[in-house]
Amino acid sequence: SEEELIREYYLKGRPLLLRGYVSLKDRCKLSYHSNAMLRAVKERRQCGRTAYPSLTGQRMCGTFSIENLNRHPHCEDPERTLPICVAKGPPGAQLNRTDVFRSLPVSFRYGLDHAPLPIMRRMWVQSGARQFFAGGDRSGATMHFHNPAYNVLFFGVKEWMFTPPSYASVSGQASSVFSERASQILPNHLPLRCVQGPGDLIILPAQWGHATVNRRFTIGIGDLYCD
């Protein structure tokens, strides 16, 4: 409920995983052979060895399409990291003119000042950066932190690692490498881990450290918002 979200998670600054928030019917609008994805799967765009390479002063590692990513290619770096692509949605009404974003459930296409979930309306001020992401098996976002965010997975499986703000950091390692070494550099009880499946939605409080590793080919959306 909205009251439980505010009392037990928002005011206490705790991450929340909502299972099965997006139905299979809505997710199938972004399936590989759907009308929305016919052109999108072949569009090539610059991708990084981690979701946000500019955070650690890195460059993009190559140009890939969603069709390429489903074959699990490698970046041209010594570690042969698997790339992940993140594309920001256009501003305002233009969002509904793109093949991919206009096929999303309507709640994710509202104006900037409308929360995507009714239960989030009391913690929502404005959308900040709506994004579409895609990545192959073992790609992901290495450890970083930012404003509050939500993340929805349409297809695939994603492992999450969390740290409270006091242990948040920014890493330049590939996310799969960070996952293997995290227990060596963090206290015994960290990082907290969970697995996000198709249709699941995660709400992440501000400044929580987090990293992800895709355990399948994945497609989803996210948004950094102001609370």
Side-chain angles (χ1 to χ4, degrees):
S1 68
E2 180 180 8
E3 189 59 40
E4 183 181 15
L5 172 63
I6 297 297
R7 182 183 67 249
E8 298 298 329
Y9 294 91
Y10 178 64
L11 293 179
K12 295 181 180 180
R14 298 166 61 194
L16 175 64
L17 171 61
L18 295 175
R19 294 288 188 195
Y21 178 77
V22 181
S23 69
L24 178 60
K25 179 181 179 180
D26 283 334
R27 291 190 287 111
C28 281
K29 294 175 183 177
L30 292 177
S31 65
Y32 188 83
H33 297 291
S34 67
N35 290 334
M37 299 299 285
L38 285 177
R39 286 186 297 179
V41 296
K42 298 184 182 299
E43 291 178 359
R44 299 180 68 88
R45 56 184 80 242
Q46 288 190 317
C47 306
R49 62 194 297 271
T50 183
Y52 309 103
S54 60
L55 277 177
T56 51
Q58 301 180 57
R59 297 180 180 178
M60 296 296 183
C61 77
T63 304
F64 305 90
S65 66
I66 292 176
E67 199 170 47
N68 294 146
L69 294 175
N70 199 26
R71 301 183 184 120
H72 312 300
H74 293 85
C75 292
E76 297 175 1
D77 61 352
E79 296 85 3
R80 293 179 60 76
T81 311
L82 284 93
I84 184 167
C85 302
V86 178
K88 289 187 178 181
Q94 296 179 47
L95 190 76
N96 292 311
R97 298 174 189 157
T98 63
D99 289 338
V100 172
F101 281 93
R102 71 183 177 189
S103 299
L104 298 175
V106 66
S107 62
F108 297 110
R109 296 186 279 117
Y110 286 148
L112 300 181
D113 57 347
H114 284 78
L117 284 70
I119 60 174
M120 292 178 67
R121 58 188 177 182
R122 287 167 55 189
M123 53 190 278
W124 185 274
V125 175
Q126 189 175 60
S127 169
R130 281 185 273 213
Q131 305 164 62
F132 172 80
F133 60 82
D137 184 41
R138 292 182 292 115
S139 65
T142 195
M143 181 58 68
H144 64 289
F145 59 95
H146 45 59
N147 288 351
Y150 71 79
N151 184 288
V152 185
L153 200 59
F154 285 89
F155 299 101
V157 177
K158 182 184 294 189
E159 177 189 348
W160 284 76
M161 293 155 279
F162 303 102
T163 68
S166 57
Y167 290 99
S169 61
V170 175
S171 172
Q173 294 178 322
S175 60
S176 56
V177 174
F178 180 85
S179 177
E180 296 169 357
R181 299 177 180 175
S183 60
Q184 303 171 22
I185 58 178
L186 291 169
N188 290 336
H189 62 290
L190 294 176
L192 306 175
R193 295 178 185 259
C194 74
V195 176
Q196 181 185 23
D200 294 350
L201 181 145
I202 282 181
I203 300 175
L204 186 69
Q207 309 308 314
W208 271 68
H210 56 287
T212 63
V213 180
N214 296 324
R215 296 306 183 188
R216 302 284 190 280
F217 172 72
T218 62
I219 288 178
I221 61 167
D223 192 355
L224 276 65
Y225 62 89
C226 298
D227 62 357

